[in-house]
Amino acid sequence: MAKLDGPSLATLVLARYMVDPYGVFPALFARHGDPFHLPLPGSRGTIVTGHPDGVRAIIGADPDTFEPWRIEATAILLGEQSLFLQRGERHRAARKLLTPPFAVGPTRGFAGMMRELARAGFASWDRGGRVRVQDTTQTITLSIIVRALFNAKGERAELLQRTLADGLDSLGPAILYLKFLRHEFGGYGPWARALRMVGRLRDLLLEEIAIRRAGGGPAPCHATDGARLPGAVGDILSGLVAARFDDGTGMTDVEIRDRLSDIVVAGHETSAVALSWLVEELGRHPAVRARLDDELQALHPDADPAEVAALPYLDAVCQEVLRLHPPLVFLTRRVVKPLELRGHVVEPGCGVSMAVRAVHTQPATFDDPLAFSPERFLDRSYAAHELLPFGGGAKRCIGAAFGMMELKQIAFEMLRRYELELVSPKPARAAARTITVCPRDGVLANVRPRTLNSSRTRAA
């Protein structure tokens, strides 16, 4: 393979990513071409593409072409049995057990709970005043994932939520990639704080698993036709404990623990950030907000969640937020079999990466790609290699349907019940968090409760 061009120092790229996470990859493509080689510490580096053809080559390849991209920090934080670190038959078998509770049908069963917890989470806004939107959305999404996994309420739910809230916020991308920053500093540094959070979370998860093994905890839930839904509607943990591989064996406690941890850590952060960006974009585009208001106000405040999920313009707005502000902007896998990528052969041992926002802002795919225009989703759909906010191929997020339902139900409660006016006259700058890209100030807004009008459509 001819040597690809690329930056010489990974630390400079990381530094720019910290400052400008959305601008760094377009600048690198403009300078080095697509694909380019990105050096990464302790590895042969990765080949980065932001072109739909490159993405199609990656997500369309035989899944056994790849193995997870492992770095020391993620293995420590996620655990060896994390789904993110599995490959081949182990990965396929694990996904087969984990996917059913997050399929479209069971996800509908969670929607009422999502609305209930969203309404409770926004209650503090009834007083009006200035709010930091991401603080509230993160509290809500965390409460939803805790309820969905464990049906935990009261003190138990608060304990799980406090444990998660304490630790991840202190971690930045630099700590994940630069080993010299991963020191505990007598127990006071951000790495030490994160390790304490991980330890407490693992202990709590093992306690919950032990309760289910002993026959305690919520009973399995059922669909309206009486058919059992494995772990649906707040009892996902019970479903995972009861689930069996094809050979009749179940998952070990550590396997369940690490896979629950995946869901908890990734599941609430991405939705909370997306909701913050949604408020930011609507605040900058009053015509979009007005059109969405017309659609939302046509429903009763207690409208059936299925009606909310089916709203076409709300769906288009959510899709456009995820296009311009994908929760994860850099997805990497390691190649174990040669892979042809846009005229280059990537050899085993090297990584391949998809720069997601670069894919989402391709002028050949999206007219005026940097503009916020939900209308683009009303008259066409996009292929998996053109739009991948939840990843693609064999590694596509199993919680995609859950995440979209959550985004719509929380947005309905927020926008139907409150008026929000952005505090800053300037658009929010993007900031790199541990794994996501969020608005730097969390979106500060002045909030005012709405007068809830009677509906033209009532919940059944």
Side-chain angles (χ1 to χ4, degrees), residues 77 167-176 190-191 194 197 432-435:
L77 295 174
L168 286 181
D169 284 351
S170 64
L171 279 177
I175 290 180
L176 298 182
W191 182 244
M197 182 277 293
R433 282 171 64 88
T434 308
I435 59 173

Side-chain angles (χ1 to χ4, degrees), residues 89-152:
E89 186 54 40
R90 292 180 66 190
H91 178 260
R92 287 188 285 271
R95 279 185 70 97
K96 187 176 180 180
L97 293 191
L98 292 169
T99 298
F102 296 100
V104 174
T107 290
R108 294 193 188 104
F110 289 115
M113 173 271 290
M114 293 173 179
R115 288 270 293 283
E116 169 199 335
L117 293 180
R119 194 172 301 179
F122 287 124
S124 63
W125 290 14
D126 290 344
R127 300 187 299 270
R130 181 169 296 187
V131 299
R132 187 175 186 268
V133 174
Q134 192 167 311
D135 288 346
T136 304
T137 58
Q138 194 139 327
T139 297
I140 291 170
T141 57
L142 186 52
S143 67
I144 287 172
I145 202 67
V146 167
R147 178 78 66 85
L149 289 175
F150 312 109
N151 202 17

Side-chain angles (χ1 to χ4, degrees), residues 209-328:
I209 294 166
I211 292 170
R212 299 307 192 280
R213 297 279 195 206
C221 296
H222 296 76
T224 53
D225 62 1
R228 177 169 172 170
L229 295 175
V233 195
D235 193 21
I236 289 175
L237 174 53
S238 291
L240 296 182
V241 169
R244 292 294 179 266
F245 294 109
D246 290 343
D247 64 2
T249 62
M251 286 185 282
T252 67
D253 287 0
V254 172
E255 286 176 319
I256 297 174
R257 181 201 70 185
D258 288 353
R259 288 157 193 178
L260 284 173
S261 184
D262 291 343
I263 298 166
V264 172
V265 172
H268 83 281
E269 168 94 350
T270 52
S271 295
V273 168
L275 286 158
S276 301
W277 282 118
L278 182 147
V279 171
E280 168 69 19
E281 292 291 0
L282 292 179
R284 307 292 171 195
H285 298 88
V288 174
R289 177 65 202 261
R291 181 172 179 176
L292 182 58
D293 273 347
D294 288 343
E295 185 177 72
L296 299 180
Q297 295 299 326
L299 293 185
H300 187 269
D302 298 319
D304 190 289
E307 293 181 273
V308 174
L311 292 173
Y313 200 62
L314 176 60
D315 181 75
V317 168
C318 292
Q319 295 273 15
E320 181 70 342
V321 168
L322 292 173
R323 182 189 72 85
L324 272 180
H325 306 286
L328 307 177

Side-chain angles (χ1 to χ4, degrees), residues 28-49:
L28 289 169
F29 288 128
R31 181 171 182 177
H32 302 291
D34 185 341
F36 66 83
H37 176 262
L38 176 65
L40 291 175
S43 74
R44 294 177 57 186
T46 185
I47 308 303
V48 186
T49 183

Side-chain angles (χ1 to χ4, degrees), residues 201-216:
L201 176 61
R202 288 174 176 168
D203 289 343
L204 287 171
L205 293 179
L206 289 173
E207 288 176 14
E208 292 289 336
I209 294 166
I211 292 170
R212 299 307 192 280
R213 297 279 195 206

Side-chain angles (χ1 to χ4, degrees), residues 386-460:
E386 297 172 324
L387 188 72
L388 58 156
F390 297 101
K395 288 285 189 176
R396 188 173 190 270
C397 176
I398 63 173
F402 185 99
M404 282 300 295
M405 179 66 77
E406 182 180 43
L407 190 54
K408 292 177 184 180
Q409 301 302 326
I410 299 175
F412 177 79
E413 287 295 326
M414 177 172 61
L415 302 174
R416 182 71 172 75
R417 295 173 178 274
Y418 304 96
E419 294 181 2
L420 294 111
E421 180 183 4
L422 298 178
V423 171
S424 175
K426 298 180 180 180
R429 295 177 60 194
R433 282 171 64 88
T434 308
I435 59 173
T436 61
V437 175
C438 67
R440 191 172 296 274
D441 65 359
V443 183
L444 299 175
N446 293 316
V447 62
R448 183 170 64 252
R450 289 178 179 271
T451 300
L452 297 180
N453 300 321
S454 60
S455 68
R456 295 196 293 270
T457 304
R458 265 191 185 275

Side-chain angles (χ1 to χ4, degrees), residues 23 27 68 101 167 219 353 383:
S353 301

